[in-house]
Amino acid sequence: MTLGADWYLSLAAALFTIGAVGLLIRRNVLVMFMCIELMLNAVNLTFVTYARKLNDIGGQSLVFFVLVVAAAEVVVGLGIIVSIFRRRTEATADDLNLLKG
Amino acid sequence: MTGLMFAQAAQERPPLVMPEVEYSALAPIVIPIVGALALLLFGSLLRTRPPAGAYASIGVVSGLGSLAAAWFVWDDIRDGGYLAVANAVVIDGFGTFFVATIACAVVLGSLVADAYLRREGLDGPEFYVLMLLSASGGMTMAVANDLIVLFLGLEILSIALYVLAGFQRGRAASREAAIKYFVLGSFSSALFLYGIALVYGATGSTQLPEIAAFLARNVLVSNGVLLAGMALLLVGLGFKVAAVPFHAWTPDVYQGAPSPVTGFMAAAAKAAGFAGLLRVFFSTFTTLELDWRPVVWALAIATVLVGSVMAVVQNDVKRMLAYSSISHAGYMLIGLQAANADGIAGALFYLLAYTFMVLGSFAIVTVVSRTGDTGHALENYRGLAARRPVLAFAFTVFLLAQAGIPFTTGFLAKFYVIAAAVEAESYALALIGMLAAVVAAFFYLRVTVFMYSAAPDGAEPAPRLAVPAGVGIALGLTLAFTVVFGVLPSPILRFAQQATFLF
């Protein structure tokens, strides 16, 4: 049995939604960070599926760009998270309440 | 055996053709990168501390070099733009306009940052490295001819800005600004990327001209995927330019980030975001105007209103300027919504004028602030005119320009976008834009009143403010630009109009 492209696209959309909703409702900064990665990888799946569907190699090569960008974001993001939560026991976004108004 | 098979397979494939890289056309983008690498190299090789301001001057020189290269490119494309680097980038007047704008932001940002960084004990090459790399990302966005190149530029711009926002590691507000900017920025980038994927799926290409050609040739029976992709692109770029309702990060990040960074971020990120918005929506999704114009209409109204109204209740000057920058984004969106040559030229004029106004304003905020980037309350500006008349006068000019008072670039910028909206028969939008400008005038004038009112009796005398040379030069440049081109706007307006014709 082979699955059509729509299944993969639906899976990607579901993963992307889980990532987006998770980012908005979870309070742990590391989990929020993982949600961003989930969203980016859902996009990768979409790219690859469309590349297959359109029979166009371009879409597959885009995934490499996304992977590089995701890696760069991890480096910077983890650096920022460590610099903030170095002196705290848990990394929750509720503690970030200095700036508001 | 396997080696032989590989050799045979290699013979059958056509040879890999490497794309030609037109470095002369890319020089405005390459120069900041070279400057950043040179800074890193010198910074790590030098055994002794270089004289004060050495790093900043490399930043300024790189910015000026980029500006000069942009001038040569501009001269080169008078007869029309061309595609370069395997159609990945387009060298045209529009892109060059934004490259020049961002280069100006680098020069002014470096001038303002120099003394501030030494005061805060953060002096080093890293700040300028990040600023130059961020600028190169913004410039890449401006010349992108491919949605993926646009995304790469967006990320180069943003990732460097996340670090810059948290550059003052010892200050909790700066760290908090960094994480908030990072989380919301990455979220918007992911949405933008998903938009690219959907547009790619619907049209079969990520190259902007091919997308436009596909949409011109075909009428999609069910274009749900395309519309969803377009909406996600709009949301992603809307985050970057701080359009309501995607503005939630702006006040916090502008307030928490070090003041020179805020000025640079306000100018460069907004310019790059609008470069992407105008290129993707005005020149690529031209055939879908009926779909995106109403959405941009709603965004523009929400942005001018929320920006102006929320700024009124702020007591922190940096936060107030953040909301004012939101309302400025709304006016530029009015130019995009008009979707005619005048509207785009108006938006470009607005951006260049805004770059100088906002960098001038943040230069003054930097000077008035105390060590640790504190003292941004409105109360700290009381009696500034008595202490530093010239500084108070300059800030007054920038505030009045942002409010849109005649004889400043800010007035003409608002005038051009609203005139374009009237021409496009968006009367309600033009009316609301003007009303919001009246509301906005209130809080700009409120700061002016504070500066010119006397300090209350018995108050301890405020510390004397020193204006470092770099900030002085930056203030002179921004002030001259705002006033001279406010009276004689034709060179800048012609520049903006030609940039629009050439894309």
Side-chain angles (χ1 to χ4, degrees), chain B residues 257-342:
Chain B
S259 302
V261 174
T262 313
F264 176 74
M265 186 182 343
K270 196 151 293 195
F274 267 99
L277 263 181
L278 295 175
R279 210 187 270 287
V280 170
F281 284 89
F282 180 68
S283 72
T284 306
F285 292 134
T286 323
T287 45
L288 296 169
E289 242 180 50
L290 291 176
D291 291 312
W292 61 257
R293 273 187 69 194
V295 182
V296 175
W297 185 85
L299 283 183
I301 285 191
T303 309
V304 286
L305 283 181
V306 171
S308 304
V309 172
M310 290 296 289
V312 172
V313 296
Q314 302 305 324
N315 279 318
D316 183 296
V317 171
K318 265 171 108 177
R319 219 174 162 80
M320 185 212 86
L321 286 171
Y323 279 108
S324 112
S325 103
I326 295 174
S327 85
H328 288 306
Y331 287 100
M332 297 175 218
L333 283 174
I334 292 179
L336 170 63
Q337 197 276 338
N340 50 27
D342 282 351

Side-chain angles (χ1 to χ4, degrees), chain A residues 9 12-13 16 19-20 23-24 29 32-33 36 39-40 42-44 46-47 50-51 54 56-60 62 65-66 69 72-74 76-78 80-81 83-85 87-88 95-101, chain B residues 146 148 151-152 155 159 162-163 169 172-180 182-187 189-191 193-194 196-198 200-206 225 232 251-253 255-257 310 314 319 323:
Chain A
L9 293 177
F16 190 85
L23 184 89
L24 296 177
V29 179
M32 291 162 85
F33 195 45
I36 293 169
M39 290 166 78
L40 290 177
V43 176
N44 280 343
T46 316
F47 269 130
Y50 276 128
L54 298 163
D56 173 34
I57 195 76
Q60 293 192 29
L62 300 184
F65 289 103
V66 179
V69 166
E73 263 184 10
V74 170
V76 168
L78 282 180
I80 294 173
I81 291 173
S83 81
I84 287 195
F85 295 105
R87 287 183 222 100
R88 297 187 195 164
D95 296 343
L96 304 170
N97 51 10
L98 207 63
L99 301 167
K100 60 187 172 219
Chain B
D146 192 306
I148 279 296
F151 173 71
L152 289 178
E155 286 297 307
I159 289 178
Y162 303 149
V163 184
R169 271 176 313 180
S174 179
R175 294 192 302 249
E176 187 175 324
I179 191 105
K180 281 183 172 167
F182 170 73
V183 169
L184 285 172
S186 319
F187 181 60
S189 302
L191 293 176
L193 193 62
Y194 199 42
I196 297 178
L198 294 183
Y200 169 69
T203 63
S205 178
T206 53
V225 171
L232 286 169
D252 288 355
V253 174
Q255 189 188 354
M310 290 296 289
Q314 302 305 324
R319 219 174 162 80
Y323 279 108

Side-chain angles (χ1 to χ4, degrees), chain B residues 177-239:
Chain B
I179 191 105
K180 281 183 172 167
Y181 195 24
F182 170 73
V183 169
L184 285 172
S186 319
F187 181 60
S188 73
S189 302
L191 293 176
F192 182 76
L193 193 62
Y194 199 42
I196 297 178
L198 294 183
V199 170
Y200 169 69
T203 63
S205 178
T206 53
Q207 298 223 326
L208 298 176
E210 281 186 36
I211 294 172
F214 178 87
L215 294 175
R217 275 198 313 271
N218 306 290
V219 176
L220 296 177
V221 181
S222 62
N223 57 356
V225 171
L226 180 64
L227 289 184
M230 234 167 66
L232 286 169
L233 291 181
L234 187 61
V235 173
L237 291 170
F239 260 107

Side-chain angles (χ1 to χ4, degrees), chain A residues 16-28 31-32 35:
Chain A
F16 190 85
T17 315
I18 293 170
V21 172
L23 184 89
L24 296 177
I25 63 172
R26 292 300 298 262
R27 298 265 60 101
N28 185 309
V31 175
M32 291 162 85
C35 288

